[in-house]
């Protein structure tokens, strides 16, 4: 009778008890592990994911929870930073004492301390708004290359729009120019025609590498969504291009985009002057990380003082190789320093708390703040997460302009007062602050700011302003989807 009443658990019952213990163990363990060195909002999002779906959530966390690069790459970046500081001490002395607003000088010092690069004068800046025009301008410069071409882009594709640029890269390599090409592995492999581009590169004399390759068979493994998002082209150390545009046709070779007329709208900058050398250092750093080839010989003979432009420029590198979130700190500093006006273009505006406070505080203290975003996004979750911030922004006094669909406003830039223009590859979202390697250029020149104001004027002319009354009265289901999507924004 006793053993009948109190029989030992069956095999299935033991399994249930074991799973319960493991489940409880996971929940207790992650409470003390996940919050370490993470934003509270990020930690809470991961904890919620694991508490609702313990096993699935844990697997996702193990795959995507660590946003640091390998120790070798971090040590390599630290070594490069030190060499940049030592090697540019004399270069910084070439820059005349800045006589503008004190807050600009403070931002310059911040960038120097975080990213190692000094602000350099005597640069020339041309903004290129046309999509094909920028591809043609890059091809023109490559056709005149004599010594080297260094190209680094998140996405590269050989197609009808980019064919001339690829042809010029091939021709330059054939005539003895050292042509080096980097493209992000995951960013590019998702594009139709990827294998065709690889065949074309293999058939040429171009030296090329995938950035942050995800090839487990070759022992190349890391968090899958750590990406190199930079866009840089340097020719002979005399001219460089950087901005938001990838090397691909404007509909990203997707049939659905082509059918509805969806095209990406970009802004690139063509730069001449000492700033070209610092952009080339960034390329050399990434090339060395993928190949272990040292390109410092390209920089040893660079004539930093041989230019006569009027723009003071400073390169700001950021990404998992830096623990200080350089781009976010710069953006916040400039937003808090603005006295008159701020105009921002960001395709993916998903701010952390610090950036949200900076932009709303600027509006609340009387600064005119404008934000240009796409009316319809190309990424469902990101677009809806972005929309969840509109109410707080509008209530603070930020003016939001919706760039008309089906176009995707992919340009990434902003201006502060009449003093500073910022352009680069970085979005204003948590992915760009923590997960992506990015390049940003701060440009201090009223003429450059006027160029960017002209671009912003065009955006304003074709866009529709979103009003608070309209937004708060949107359908309940739309609000629900936005709020749910917002939870995914912090999963880093």
């Amino acid at each position: 009778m006793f053993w009948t009443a109190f029989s030992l658990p069956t095999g299935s019952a033991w399994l249930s008890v074991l799973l319960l213990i493991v489940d409880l163990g996971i929940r207790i363990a992650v409470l003390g592990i996940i919050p370490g060195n993470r934003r509270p909002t990020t930690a809470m999002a991961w904890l919620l994911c694991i508490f609702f779906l313990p096993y699935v959530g844990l697997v996702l966390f193990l795959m995507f929870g660590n946003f640091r690069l390998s120790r070798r790459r971090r040590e390599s970046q630290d070594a490069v930073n030190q060499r940049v500081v030592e090697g540019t001490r004399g270069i910084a002395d070439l820059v005349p004492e800045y006589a503008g607003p004190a807050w600009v000088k403070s931002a310059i010092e911040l960038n120097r301390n975080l990213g190692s690069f000094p602000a350099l004068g005597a640069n020339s800046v041309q903004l290129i708004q046309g999509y094909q025009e920028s591809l043609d301008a890059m091809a023109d410069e490559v056709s005149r290359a004599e010594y080297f071409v260094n190209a680094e882009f998140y996405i590269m594709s050989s197609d009808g729009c980019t064919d001339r640029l690829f042809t010029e890269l091939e021709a330059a390599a054939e005539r003895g120019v050292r042509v080096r090409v980097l493209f992000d592995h995951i960013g590019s492999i998702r594009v139709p025609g990827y294998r065709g581009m690889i065949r074309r590169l293999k058939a040429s004399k171009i030296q090329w590498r995938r950035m942050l390759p995800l090839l487990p068979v070759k022992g190349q493994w890391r968090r899958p969504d750590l990406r190199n998002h930079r866009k840089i082209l340097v020719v002979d150390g005399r001219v460089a291009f950087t901005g938001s545009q990838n090397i691909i046709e404007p509909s990203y070779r997707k049939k659905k985009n082509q059918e509805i007329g969806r095209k990406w709208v970009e802004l690139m900058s063509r730069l001449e002057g000492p700033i070209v050398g610092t952009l080339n250092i960034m390329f050399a750093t990434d090339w060395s990380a993928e190949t272990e080839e040292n390109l410092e010989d390209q920089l040893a003979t660079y004539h930093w003082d041989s230019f006569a432009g009027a723009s003071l420029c400073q390169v700001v590198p950021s990404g998992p190789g830096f623990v200080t979130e350089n781009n976010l700190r710069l953006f916040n500093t400039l937003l808090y320093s603005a006295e008159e006006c701020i105009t921002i273009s960001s395709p993916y505006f998903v701010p952390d708390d610090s950036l949200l406070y900076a932009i709303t505080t600027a509006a609340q203290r009387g600064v005119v703040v404008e934000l240009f975003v796409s009316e319809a996004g190309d990424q469902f979750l990101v677009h809806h997460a972005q929309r969840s911030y509109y109410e707080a922004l509008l209530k603070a006094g930020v003016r939001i302009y919706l760039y008309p669909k089906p176009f995707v406003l992919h340009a990434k830039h902003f201006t502060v007062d009449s003093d500073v223009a910022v352009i680069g590859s970085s979005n204003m979202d948590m992915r760009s602050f923590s997960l992506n390697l990015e390049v940003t250029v701060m440009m201090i020149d009223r003429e450059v700011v006027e160029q960017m104001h002209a671009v912003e004027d065009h955006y304003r002319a074709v866009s529709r302003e979103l009003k608070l009354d309209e937004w708060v009265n949107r359908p309940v289901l739309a609000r629900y989807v936005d709020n749910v999507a917002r939870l995914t924004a912090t999963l880093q």
Side-chain angles (χ1 to χ4, degrees), residues 37-39 66-70 74-75 77-78 81 113-115 317-329 433-436:
N37 296 319
R38 287 184 177 82
R39 295 185 183 92
N66 178 18
F67 59 84
R68 302 182 71 183
L69 293 173
S70 67
R74 296 199 306 273
E75 290 175 348
Q77 181 68 64
D78 290 341
N81 292 347
N113 289 332
L114 295 179
S318 59
F322 298 86
V323 297
T324 45
E325 296 185 327
N326 302 350
N327 46 357
L328 174 60
R329 290 175 187 262
F433 300 146
S434 300
L435 303 181
N436 290 343

Side-chain angles (χ1 to χ4, degrees), residues 329-403:
R329 290 175 187 262
L330 170 62
F331 297 167
N332 281 341
T333 296
L334 294 178
L335 292 171
Y336 277 118
S337 300
E339 298 175 349
E340 299 171 3
C341 59
I342 299 166
T343 304
I344 299 169
S345 173
S346 180
Y348 312 116
F349 185 83
V350 186
D352 74 339
D353 287 344
S354 70
L355 185 63
L356 182 63
Y357 292 161
I359 192 172
T360 53
T361 299
Q364 288 163 339
R365 59 188 172 84
V367 176
V368 176
V369 182
E370 298 176 311
L371 173 64
F372 289 96
V373 292
S374 298
E375 182 179 17
D378 63 303
Q379 297 183 28
F380 180 86
L381 282 177
V382 177
H383 181 64
H384 282 278
Q386 171 176 290
R387 284 160 48 100
S388 72
Y389 292 90
Y390 289 174
E391 186 171 338
L393 294 169
L394 291 167
K395 284 183 175 178
V398 177
R399 301 184 70 174
I400 300 177
Y401 292 90
L402 305 179
Y403 199 89

